[in-house]
Amino acid sequence: MSRPKPLQLVDTRVRVVTSDTLEQFIEEYKEQYGEVAFVVLSMKDYENLALNIADLRRYINQQTEIIVYYEEAVTEEKKEDGTESGESE
C-alpha cells in the first residue's frame, strides 16, 4: 500500500487592518476583488488558531513516525524470511 498523496495547500493571505487603515483597505480591496466581506478574529483567537495548527502539525509528524516504524518493521521481516508481507506459507 502506498502512502497518501502529499498535501497541496493553497496560498492564504492574511491582512492586518486597523481603524486607521480600514477605509483605504476597503477602497483598494473593492478595486481588486469587487465585493468586501469580513471574517474577524480577535488577537487571542488568531493566537489559538496558530497554536491549533502547530498541534496538528505535531500530531501528523508523530503519526508519520509511527507509520515509518511499522513500514520498516515489515520490511525487515521480509528480508529475514524472504517472503512478502501478507504472503501465506
Side-chain angles (χ1 to χ4, degrees):
M1 177 183 223
S2 63
R3 288 193 182 194
K5 180 178 143 185
L7 293 173
Q8 293 182 345
L9 303 177
V10 179
D11 286 342
T12 303
R13 296 182 195 155
V14 175
R15 293 184 173 101
V16 177
V17 179
T18 66
S19 57
D20 295 334
T21 62
L22 180 60
E23 287 182 33
Q24 180 183 353
F25 170 78
I26 291 173
E27 187 178 305
E28 290 173 1
Y29 197 88
K30 279 184 180 179
E31 285 178 21
Q32 188 171 9
Y33 299 105
E35 198 170 322
V36 176
F38 294 96
V39 176
V40 179
L41 295 172
S42 69
M43 291 307 290
K44 181 63 179 167
D45 288 334
Y46 184 77
E47 181 181 316
N48 290 343
L49 179 62
L51 292 171
N52 288 343
I53 290 170
D55 201 34
L56 282 168
R57 199 173 166 162
R58 175 206 50 82
Y59 179 80
I60 291 167
N61 287 336
Q62 288 176 336
Q63 290 298 312
T64 301
E65 289 175 15
I66 291 168
I67 292 167
V68 168
Y69 172 81
Y70 282 107
E71 284 177 344
E72 289 175 356
V74 169
T75 303
E76 289 175 14
E77 181 180 304
K78 176 183 162 188
K79 289 178 185 174
E80 288 175 12
D81 66 15
T83 61
E84 292 282 333
S85 176
E87 284 186 303
S88 59
E89 294 182 38

